[in-house]
Structure formats: structure tokens, C-alpha cells
Amino acid sequence: MKFRFVLACLLVSGIPATTTAGVPNPPLPGSANLSSKALLGQQLFFDTNLSQPAGQACASCHNPAAAFTDADKTKPTSKGVNPALFGNRNSPTAMYAAYSPAFYYDRKTGLYMGGQFLDGRASTLAEQAKKPFLNPVEMANPNAAAVVTKVRNANYASQFNTVYGVGALNNSTAADIDQAYARIADAIAEYERSPVFNRFTSKYDFYLFGKASFTVQEVRGRAVFELATKGNCAACHPSRSATAGSPPLFTDFSYDNIGVPKNPDSLFYSLLPAYNPAGAYFVDLGLGGSLNVPAEDGRFKVPTLRNIAVTAPYTHNGYFKTLRGVVEFYATRDTKKRCTNAWTNDTNALAQKCWPAPETLANVNHAELGALKLTTQDIDDLVAFLNTLTDGYQATSPWPYKAP
């Protein structure tokens, strides 16, 4: 069922897909002249045979039809190959993830930076690519050897041997398995470093390059985004690149607790104790849980805002269903009274008269958001500006692409 869903999404977006490994054909935007390793990574990324049982690929939760997020917007978090199992987080976009630096602690700022996943538990893109295959609520393979065996039996196994050498998929020893599994992840990471995931074709890119003009509302929205006295969004989502000639990525790769409430619509709370021992009392500690450092509890990686208008739902648990809802929350979180019902959701942010308590009370950022002085017009303008960050404004990039 998961495969049919992915296939349908590809077809809706005008991208036919083969049924052998789920690889889109013709290629996605940015896929001209991919390296042999990236082409192998493409095969792996779309192969629905690499789950247990077969039916789920990387593209199931990172679908190109939805800017490489989950195209099923009916649930706040993604389901696994077993349709009864759901993760506890909203699938972030895989686009531009290749630009995140390896996870590190910045002694100057006192902040953790970079890495992959919303909690930084994978330092690099290749390390991230290993995790979903073995996650019991995602692709559910029992071990790395099972994944290696499936790739060895795939119709693109010869392609793997061409890239990494004959015998690259051996699994006769534990060392062989580890190396082959690392190469599978390496090929996927190479694909994610390609222009398929890093297009820089939004209206904002063309505006910076002098090839597009903003509307009056978009100009106002950009001012709201950048001004410290207004939205001050650029403090964590820089709209100007520090490197001349390079496009901005709209994230500083830091971690923050913006005070998001628990999501009553999350099906993760109802999973059996084998998958969620805490049940309805589960609290996602984010970076703090990953590091086992309570001082970092509740902090999640600041996402890129590129393609934000087409990647709902928003925040780590998919609490916000609309972009307008997120902006409204940023502006009014600390100015509205607390809801007495902790399970109120963002069904209509404009009508929301109160906000539930944060999932994690510690470390909530009160300095940069929560009581922004934004008018209704400011919010409308800001949302209009955020819509200029969607790729595909024109067919080709306004500058030569440089791999991260």
C-alpha cells in the first residue's frame, strides 16, 4: 500500500515511476549529469524493496512531489511500512540537508550546531541514511545484513559493484556487512548532495539574482522577516548568505525550543509499549534526549525555510497544519492565555484564543519570539514572503550549482 501511495504521488507530480525499484523516469529536476554514485543513490532512495516487508522507500517519507517531505498530509507524523505504526516526528524535508555541517558544539556561542535529524543524533548525511532502514516504526529491517542482502539481489546490484568494486556487497563477515551498509548510506548521501535536492530555483533566488521582482506585499513581508523590531525571523533563518555569490539557506543550523505543545493528533501516543513505553505521557526531549543532557531538553534543529509553504504540517510533531498557524503562534504564544485543555490543536489558528503549554517547559525561547508586535497585515505579508521560497519558480537555477 505504501508503494502505491508513493507511485501515485509521483504520477500526480508528472513524474512516472518504474515498479522495479521505484526510480522516477524521466528524471527529476536537477538530475541531469548525475555521477555514477549519485545515480546509484537514486536507485536506493526510491527502492521500495528495502523495507521489511517490502513496500516502503526513503521516498515514502521524503517524496519529491512534496519537496521531499511526506506527501500524506492527513497525519502529523509519518507511518512506517507497517501501516499501524507511526513515528513520533514530522518528516523534515531532505532538501538542502546536505549543507548542514557535521554535528559539533560551538564554544563561542555555547550552542550545538549542525548534524542531521531534528535532534542531531546523526552527525553526517551518510550516518542519517543508515537509521531509517533499521527503525522498527519506519522500514523495520532486523539488521544491516538484511538490507545488504536486498541490495545484492536488486536489479541494480551490478551498478553498485561498478561504483564500489566487485564484491562490494559481500556479507560473509561482520566487517563486510558494515562496509557494504556504509556504502549504501554513502551512495544515498551522494544523491542528496546533488542538484535534485539543492535546486535554488525559488522566486527569492531569482530576485537576488536580479531576474525577478517582488510584489509590494512580498517586499513588506521581507521587511517583517528581517527587521529585529518585527518578526526578526532572520536571526535564526538568515536570509542573506555569509559567503558572497552563494544563496542563503534560511537556517543557522542551531537548536531551539520554541514552545510547541504536544500534538493530540499524533498516533504515536497510542502505540503498544514495545514502541512507546510512556504512552500518552511521552515527551519528546529533542536534542536533550539525543545527548542525554537535560540542559538541552526541548530543543530541535532550526529547519530551512526553503519550500516551507509546501511542506506542511510544521514543527517536530506536526502540530501546526498551516503556515499561517505557525506565524500566529510565533507572534502570540506568550500574549494569549494558556488553554486549560492541554490537548487543544491548531485546527484554526486565527480563531485560537489560547495556546497549550509547551511540551517541554525548560529552555523555551522567550527572547526572540512569543510576543512579536505583528499586525494582521504583517502576518499576511510575512506569509506572502515565505511563499517566495518555493523552488520551481523557473525551470533552471539562476547560477551554477556547487555541490556541498
Side-chain angles (χ1 to χ4, degrees), residues 140-208:
N141 287 285
N143 49 51
V147 182
V148 173
T149 298
K150 290 172 184 178
V151 175
R152 190 172 63 249
N153 293 330
N155 61 357
Y156 53 85
S158 60
Q159 189 176 344
F160 198 99
N161 289 329
T162 298
V163 172
Y164 292 107
V166 176
L169 289 168
N170 269 336
N171 65 353
S172 56
T173 69
D176 289 337
I177 293 169
D178 288 346
Q179 185 177 56
Y181 193 58
R183 286 168 168 169
I184 289 169
D186 177 60
I188 293 173
E190 183 73 6
Y191 180 49
E192 292 182 326
R193 283 190 284 267
S194 77
V196 174
F197 291 79
N198 308 281
R199 299 176 187 175
F200 300 107
T201 56
S202 71
K203 184 177 183 180
Y204 187 78
D205 294 311
F206 283 90
Y207 170 80
L208 291 181

Side-chain angles (χ1 to χ4, degrees), residues 111 225 227-237 252 254-258 302 329-331 333-334 363-374:
L111 299 174
F225 186 91
L227 287 174
T229 55
K230 287 286 189 178
N232 197 30
C233 312
C236 296
H237 302 278
D252 63 0
S254 65
Y255 292 77
D256 204 354
N257 181 2
I258 63 172
V302 174
F329 176 75
Y330 268 63
R333 183 198 64 201
D334 296 342
N363 305 316
V364 173
N365 186 341
H366 293 284
E368 297 174 303
L369 67 143
L372 305 179
K373 297 178 180 179
L374 301 185

Side-chain angles (χ1 to χ4, degrees), residues 99-376:
Y99 284 91
S100 182
F103 186 77
Y104 71 101
Y105 179 73
D106 188 332
R107 295 185 181 278
K108 182 177 181 180
T109 62
L111 299 174
Y112 288 93
M113 308 289 287
Q116 300 292 334
F117 290 113
L118 294 175
D119 59 7
R121 68 184 184 275
S123 180
T124 65
L125 205 59
E127 285 299 311
Q128 183 279 327
K130 294 179 180 180
K131 304 292 186 182
F133 288 120
L134 307 183
N135 190 323
V137 297
E138 292 186 67
M139 299 175 78
N141 287 285
N143 49 51
V147 182
V148 173
T149 298
K150 290 172 184 178
V151 175
R152 190 172 63 249
N153 293 330
N155 61 357
Y156 53 85
S158 60
Q159 189 176 344
F160 198 99
N161 289 329
T162 298
V163 172
Y164 292 107
V166 176
L169 289 168
N170 269 336
N171 65 353
S172 56
T173 69
D176 289 337
I177 293 169
D178 288 346
Q179 185 177 56
Y181 193 58
R183 286 168 168 169
I184 289 169
D186 177 60
I188 293 173
E190 183 73 6
Y191 180 49
E192 292 182 326
R193 283 190 284 267
S194 77
V196 174
F197 291 79
N198 308 281
R199 299 176 187 175
F200 300 107
T201 56
S202 71
K203 184 177 183 180
Y204 187 78
D205 294 311
F206 283 90
Y207 170 80
L208 291 181
F209 202 63
K211 300 295 184 181
S213 299
F214 276 170
T215 65
V216 173
Q217 185 176 39
E218 290 165 351
V219 170
R220 292 199 305 260
R222 186 188 185 193
V224 173
F225 186 91
E226 295 182 343
L227 287 174
T229 55
K230 287 286 189 178
N232 197 30
C233 312
C236 296
H237 302 278
S239 54
R240 303 170 191 268
S241 177
T243 305
S246 297
L249 295 168
F250 288 90
T251 174
D252 63 0
F253 305 108
S254 65
Y255 292 77
D256 204 354
N257 181 2
I258 63 172
V260 177
K262 295 179 73 169
N263 189 347
D265 290 342
S266 175
L267 295 175
F268 182 77
Y269 296 120
S270 62
L271 295 188
L272 294 172
Y275 303 102
N276 175 20
Y281 296 98
F282 170 78
V283 173
D284 194 338
L285 298 177
L287 179 64
S290 174
L291 296 176
N292 196 25
V293 177
E296 302 296 330
D297 284 354
R299 289 178 174 158
F300 293 89
K301 190 178 179 185
V302 174
T304 177
L305 295 185
R306 286 184 171 275
N307 296 299
I308 191 70
V310 296
T311 55
Y314 304 105
T315 64
H316 70 276
N317 58 9
Y319 181 88
F320 296 95
K321 299 177 180 179
T322 66
L323 187 55
R324 173 87 193 209
V326 181
V327 176
E328 183 90 356
F329 176 75
Y330 268 63
T332 65
R333 183 198 64 201
D334 296 342
T335 62
K336 291 181 178 179
K337 64 180 181 180
R338 282 278 171 83
C339 301
T340 55
N341 177 7
W343 291 93
T344 302
N345 199 351
D346 168 46
T347 53
N348 186 347
L350 291 177
Q352 186 103 0
K353 303 301 181 184
C354 60
W355 293 113
E359 182 174 21
T360 303
L361 287 169
N363 305 316
V364 173
N365 186 341
H366 293 284
E368 297 174 303
L369 67 143
L372 305 179
K373 297 178 180 179
L374 301 185
T375 65
T376 299

Side-chain angles (χ1 to χ4, degrees), residues 27-53:
L28 294 164
S31 62
N33 303 315
L34 291 181
S35 69
S36 57
K37 186 189 292 188
L39 286 170
L40 173 61
Q42 177 181 252
Q43 295 273 8
L44 294 161
F45 190 88
F46 287 95
D47 191 348
T48 57
N49 295 317
L50 299 185
S51 62
Q52 184 61 39

